[in-house]
Every structure is written in structure tokens, then in C-alpha cells.
Amino acid sequence: MTYSQLIAEVTNQQQTLTAIIEQTERAAYFYIWPTEPFRSRFAVRGCWLRNLLPAPFEEDSAAIEQGIAPLLSADCCRTLEAEPPLDPAGLQIIWEPTDDGAAVWYQGQLLAVIPGWSLYQNKQVSFSAGCIKENRLTAPLGSASTNHYYAQALAHRQFWRDWHDGHLWQPVQHDLLQSYESHYGPSLKYYTIDQGQWPPMAISQHYHQGVWYFFTLGMCIRPMPWVDFLYEDLAPQYRRTELAMAIDAEVMTEDNAIQMASALANYAHYPWSSLNWLGEGHTLPSSVAPVGFEGFLLSATLGTEGGQFALPKREGERVNLLWATPVTATEQAFAQADDEGGIQLVTRLLQYGATHIFRPRQQVVEQEE
């Protein structure tokens, strides 16, 4: 009987996925498992690391049929002889900042990568240093000059090293606050919303020309999941965001405005806690939406009356500012009915004269739509 030994296990920041390395007497494998709440949405991903027996000349189909971790065939394998078992002390698993992919380092050398975007499609995608020919178990890792994912793994390792030093938050915080204050005056109140966990996140409150403004700080530190898969080369334009809310002070007292804006504290964590992303026209439910409203619509396009301005870039990438505006249950259902529903709802709101600033308005979607 084949034994299986778990020699490494690391859960990501939001505990949505677990990366493990298992070793049998035949081979070593790297896996990313969805945690219990996500197992109905995502499949386990795997990557062959090395053979601990001599490489077979044919595909190890018998092992695959029996549900046993297969050996990599000789035509795909850098080393034909049996390799020594991996020493757990030499292993390090480093998660991507998106929290959905990871890399394995062994004794200081990059051993394998499972890219985050592979979570969102059916085909297994991984890269292993011991592989020289693409196959159904993995693909060649190559080098930083030949493989984008090798270069990314190096960048991700440096990213965590830089943040571990603890000096990066202050300039991020300063640049975002300076941007917000240049448009809406000094920050009147500042709320920490990270519960003492990485990454640091906060909400800044402002008052300008009779309107309460609230802005998140820190979301842009991490790229959001899904975006690389959806937008590929255009992903740098969409994967970083901050959120905002504007409330007419004649409509709500400061205390009520603060309560409504507390929705941003949950939304700021949403992409990584839900393995999802936030973009133009997306809607989210909320228990703190005003009476008569069910949740919030996110939109940069609604930011008229000076609500559209450039935020400081993060790692050379654009940071989008999405305004959260209340929507009714009927409007939310309309937005979620098809892929363009949210964009169509934004268009209707603009046609009815609505902006990013919350004021009383009529519902813009009929019940039967």
C-alpha cells in the first residue's frame, strides 16, 4: 500500500485556500486545496515536484487510474534516476499577493509554481523545475527570462520581504491621504479596519461642501483575485482598487453617515475573503444600506461633480476609485440578471440625474423588468 506523508502545509492570508506538499515512496506533489466553504466552487490544483523512483518510459497511466500520485515519464523529466525525498526543513511555500496561487521554494531555489488564475478554469496549470516538456501533470518552469511565472515568483518573494520589514505602509497611507485631502479637505476621522492583521487598511472621513466623504486606504496593496484570468494583459488596469462613499449632509446626520459608510469596512476585505473581485457595475448586499435600499452599487463612472480623479499608482499599476451608492432590491436584481446589468444600471442612474453623492431618489428600474 502506498503511504502519503504531509511534509508542508500553509494556509493563505484569508484562509480560503491551503497549500500542501505530500510525499509518497513514489513521488512528491504540491497541491492547493480550497477550504471547506469554497470546495463547491473550486477544484483542487496539483503539481508534480519530483520522482522518488526511476522515471518510467511511458505515462504512468496505471497509477492515474488507481488514484495514486503518478510518476512523471522519462521524456518529460529532467532527471531519469530516482531523486532523494524532499527535506521538510528546506521547504518554503510563498503565496501570491492575490491570495489564490503559490510557489514552492526548496533550499533557496524555486521548485514549482501554481499560478492564481488557474483556480478559475478547468485545466490544471502548473510549472515545475524538474519538468522539461509540458504534460498533463505539469509544465517546465524554465527561468526568469523564459517563464513569466518564474519572474513573478521572484517578485512575490521580494514583495513579502519588503512588507515584512514594516516600512511600506506609511508611504502608501501618506500618498492616499494626500490625494483625498487635496480634493475633500483634511481627514476629520480615521478608522482602522484591518483588525491588526496584514495588510493594513483604514477608512478616512472628510467633510466638503455639505457632503460627508469616506475613503478606504490599503486595498490597493494587493491585486484582486480573478482579474488576471478575466483580463489577461489588461489586468494591471483593473486589479487594484480603493472604495469611496459620499453622503449629502442634509440627508443624514454624521452618525448615520458613519453607520452607512461602515459597509466599506467589510467590502475592503471582500475580494480576498471571497476569492472574487470588485469592478464597475458590481453590486453587494449590506445590512447598513439606508431604509428602502438593499445594498450598494460600485461605480467609478458615477463619480461626477469632481468624483473622478487619479489615485497614486501602486507598483506602477493604476488604482481605480469605485464609489458605493445605495440600490434597491429591484435594482440589485436587475444588475445581477446578466453580465451587463450593472453597467446598464449605472447608465440609468446617470440618466435620472443620480451621481456618486447619495441623495433621495426614485427607483430607476420597474418591478417587472
Side-chain angles (χ1 to χ4, degrees), residues 41-59:
R41 286 179 57 196
F42 304 116
V44 176
R45 290 169 290 163
C47 177
W48 171 89
L49 295 179
R50 62 172 48 178
N51 289 339
L52 307 185
L53 295 175
F57 290 105
E58 303 292 337
E59 185 182 73

Side-chain angles (χ1 to χ4, degrees), residues 57-221:
F57 290 105
E58 303 292 337
E59 185 182 73
D60 195 2
S61 54
I64 295 173
E65 290 172 4
Q66 296 173 45
I68 298 171
L71 298 168
L72 188 64
S73 58
D75 62 324
C76 299
C77 204
R78 185 180 303 279
T79 303
L80 302 186
E81 297 81 16
E83 294 194 74
L86 294 169
D87 177 5
L91 289 167
Q92 183 184 28
I93 296 173
I94 296 180
W95 284 95
E96 296 180 0
T98 47
D99 231 17
D100 53 2
V104 176
W105 294 80
Y106 185 58
Q107 297 175 345
Q109 301 298 312
L110 184 60
L111 194 60
V113 174
I114 298 179
W117 62 264
S118 66
L119 182 65
Y120 313 112
Q121 40 86 68
N122 294 325
K123 183 183 177 183
Q124 290 277 345
V125 179
S126 66
F127 303 91
S128 175
C131 175
I132 59 171
K133 178 184 174 183
E134 186 173 352
N135 59 88
R136 68 160 126 175
L137 300 181
T138 190
L141 179 61
S143 65
S145 61
T146 63
N147 189 340
H148 168 70
Y149 300 105
Y150 192 117
Q152 275 197 325
L154 291 171
H156 296 155
R157 182 171 66 165
Q158 189 59 49
F159 173 89
W160 292 114
R161 285 176 173 172
D162 290 344
W163 275 99
H164 183 72
D165 292 342
H167 65 277
L168 293 185
W169 171 233
Q170 189 171 356
V172 173
Q173 180 189 48
H174 173 269
D175 290 349
L176 285 169
L177 274 177
Q178 188 175 55
S179 180
Y180 298 149
E181 291 182 340
S182 67
H183 291 85
Y184 302 105
S187 176
L188 304 178
K189 294 180 182 177
Y190 183 90
Y191 311 90
T192 300
I193 59 170
D194 52 39
Q195 290 86 48
Q197 304 295 314
W198 190 93
M201 282 203 226
I203 293 175
S204 180
Q205 177 182 336
H206 304 251
Y207 183 79
H208 180 67
Q209 295 181 355
V211 177
W212 296 110
Y213 288 94
F214 302 86
F215 300 93
T216 64
L217 299 90
M219 284 186 71
C220 65
I221 289 171

Side-chain angles (χ1 to χ4, degrees), residues 236-254:
Q237 299 181 41
Y238 299 99
R239 63 186 170 205
R240 296 181 192 268
T241 193
E242 296 289 350
L243 302 179
M245 195 177 289
I247 304 162
D248 190 325
E250 292 189 2
V251 174
M252 282 191 184
T253 65
E254 179 180 2

